[in-house]
Amino acid sequence: MLNGRKTLYSGMQATGTLTLGNYLGALKNWVNLNEEYECIYGVMDLHSLTVRQTPAEFRKNARSLYALYVAAGLDPEKNCIYYQSHVSGHAELSWILSCFTYMGELNRMTQFKDKSSRHADNINAGLYTYPVLMASDILLYQADLVPVGQDQKQHLEITRDIAQRFNALYGDVFTVPEAYIPKAGAKIMSLSDPQKKMSKSDENANATILLLDDRDSIIRKFKRAVTDSDTVVRYAEEKPGIRNLMDIYSCVTGKDYSAIEQEFEGRGYGEFKLAVGEAVADELSPLQKHYASLIEDKAYLDSMIKMNDEKAAYYAAKTLRKVQKKVGLTERIRA
Ligand code: TYM
């Protein structure tokens, strides 16, 4: 609870630009849930350091991510949108919580296994303790609800385990958060290989729709999307490419699967893919226009970042002081 309301917390890594997967799995739901909660959204730049970044590009990506949150419809005057690295409490809590997290638990994390196989030359300790930092992000703000895509489910489970373990030892210190994972859109797949998750690190540019792709590129990529040798638009286990396109179309139009099947009855894949491409381009167009003007408005973005960094630091300090006291760290002597 924050300011008498339930708290929603989420964030994204500040690496590269966002994909349609990030948007449909998370960002769009943040906007939909926005009115009901007191909302805090982080630009997760500390997490991005687990993979090597080029400093200038990294800074640009982090700012672009901030502007994308706002462009998608999150008002920085009503929501606390801030940079993770600007609030030192994340790193401090992360250290304390790492002493309450077992290696056995971290060894089970599928994302760690996956990332270490993709970055075999840089399996650093940060990659390993990544879930502890994520738990700290969430617990620091006493979040009730955390809207994320399917791939973050395991990280939410370990967050809950850490919170419960800590609470069992020290009393009710942390709110135990619930994950919010949408029914459609929780796992958007690659357009070139529908068995693989859509990801910004995909080397094949046709596999991924980026939020700032222009209309023609979006439509072209959907036209090339891999489907199957059948011709009927139908939601079925053995048709992963079509299922993915139906999920995307359902998320952006609000139509359910049977309505989509009816709409494209007897019309073939070509028409369906074009319709999905156009619907996605239409959905992203207002966001792209808003983004283009925001990213030019340095004074506005800077003032929002400053105001919200302070707000976030204030919320975080409250929890951190409580945790430090509970575990028995000596309180600071104040003048
Ligand atoms: P990240 O940056 O990888 O992804 C951001 C959000 O996008 C979702 N997502 C997807 N959803 C559907 N289909 C896809 N193909 C797809 N790809 C990504 C992710 O599930 C996520 O919700 N560890 C987090 C960032 C983080 C965080 C947090 C999130 C750090 N601290 C605290 C919530 C709360 C991450 O790497 O997300």
Side-chain angles (χ1 to χ4, degrees), residues 81-327:
I81 308 178
Y82 75 105
Y83 280 67
Q84 182 191 31
S85 65
H86 293 185
V87 178
S88 57
H90 290 257
E92 292 179 68
L93 184 61
S94 186
W95 171 255
I96 296 177
L97 293 185
S98 72
C99 302
F100 293 85
T101 308
Y102 297 112
M103 291 185 58
E105 290 177 299
L106 294 176
N107 287 338
R108 284 199 293 275
M109 295 292 119
T110 53
Q111 208 158 66
F112 170 70
K113 291 184 208 164
D114 177 47
K115 282 199 185 167
S116 26
S117 67
R118 278 191 288 122
H119 302 277
D121 54 338
N122 182 20
I123 306 178
N124 57 68
L127 210 53
Y128 188 64
T129 57
Y130 181 113
V132 185
L133 179 60
M134 180 159 162
S136 306
D137 302 335
I138 297 167
L139 300 180
L140 203 48
Y141 299 91
Q142 306 288 358
D144 295 281
L145 194 72
V146 184
V148 286
Q150 182 67 33
D151 61 353
Q152 297 300 316
K153 189 167 179 263
Q154 204 183 25
H155 290 160
L156 256 297
E157 283 163 3
I158 194 174
T159 301
R160 288 170 57 86
D161 290 343
I162 296 170
Q164 279 161 346
R165 182 172 307 140
F166 196 94
N167 285 352
L169 288 166
Y170 299 106
D172 277 342
V173 177
F174 294 123
T175 302
V176 180
E178 297 283 341
Y180 174 97
I181 297 174
K183 280 195 198 77
K187 192 169 184 191
I188 300 297
M189 309 307 276
S190 149
L191 297 187
S192 320
D193 177 358
Q195 308 288 356
K196 246 173 60 183
K197 190 182 74 166
M198 183 181 284
S199 158
K200 46 188 146 191
S201 54
D202 205 309
E203 277 156 24
N204 178 356
N206 289 323
T208 307
I209 302 289
L210 301 177
L211 287 200
L212 298 176
D213 274 348
D214 61 38
R215 186 177 185 86
D216 288 350
S217 311
I218 295 174
I219 292 174
R220 181 174 39 79
K221 288 182 189 180
F222 274 107
K223 277 189 184 160
R224 287 191 185 166
V226 169
T227 48
D228 52 57
S229 54
D230 189 21
T231 52
V232 184
V233 175
R234 187 167 51 89
Y235 204 87
E237 187 58 35
E238 68 280 10
K239 295 162 75 73
I242 290 295
R243 266 195 287 132
N244 189 38
L245 294 177
M246 286 179 76
D247 272 333
I248 295 172
Y249 195 64
S250 170
C251 285
V252 295
T253 61
K255 293 176 185 167
D256 63 21
Y257 301 139
S258 70
I260 300 172
E261 286 170 356
Q262 270 176 22
E263 185 180 348
F264 292 96
E265 209 181 311
R267 289 174 64 192
Y269 287 171
E271 271 190 66
F272 177 49
K273 289 196 220 177
L274 179 63
V276 182
E278 285 177 341
V280 169
D282 289 346
E283 165 93 9
L284 296 182
S285 163
L287 178 153
Q288 295 179 345
K289 286 198 186 97
H290 192 184
Y291 174 85
S293 65
L294 267 173
I295 204 73
E296 296 299 321
D297 197 345
K298 186 171 184 311
Y300 174 72
L301 279 184
D302 283 350
S303 71
M304 291 300 116
I305 291 169
K306 181 170 184 300
M307 176 182 81
N308 283 310
D309 279 353
E310 283 165 14
K311 229 191 215 178
Y314 172 77
Y315 297 148
K318 266 174 57 173
T319 303
L320 187 65
R321 296 288 166 260
K322 195 166 165 188
V323 170
Q324 289 168 332
K325 199 168 164 187
K326 289 282 184 185
V327 297

Side-chain angles (χ1 to χ4, degrees), residues 21-95:
N22 297 128
Y23 179 72
L24 297 179
L27 190 51
K28 192 172 161 66
N29 302 311
W30 299 0
V31 177
N32 292 339
L33 292 162
N34 193 247
E35 292 295 321
E36 290 169 58
Y37 292 84
E38 191 73 27
C39 299
I40 308 176
Y41 307 104
V43 169
M44 301 309 188
D45 48 359
L46 293 175
H47 277 107
S48 305
L49 286 176
T50 51
V51 174
R52 290 281 169 271
Q53 304 291 335
T54 309
E57 205 179 291
F58 181 28
R59 245 187 303 276
K60 210 169 136 208
N61 286 336
R63 192 166 175 95
S64 165
L65 182 60
Y66 195 102
L68 278 171
Y69 287 179
V70 180
L74 303 172
D75 181 349
E77 305 206 33
K78 293 199 188 125
N79 305 281
C80 181
I81 308 178
Y82 75 105
Y83 280 67
Q84 182 191 31
S85 65
H86 293 185
V87 178
S88 57
H90 290 257
E92 292 179 68
L93 184 61
S94 186
W95 171 255

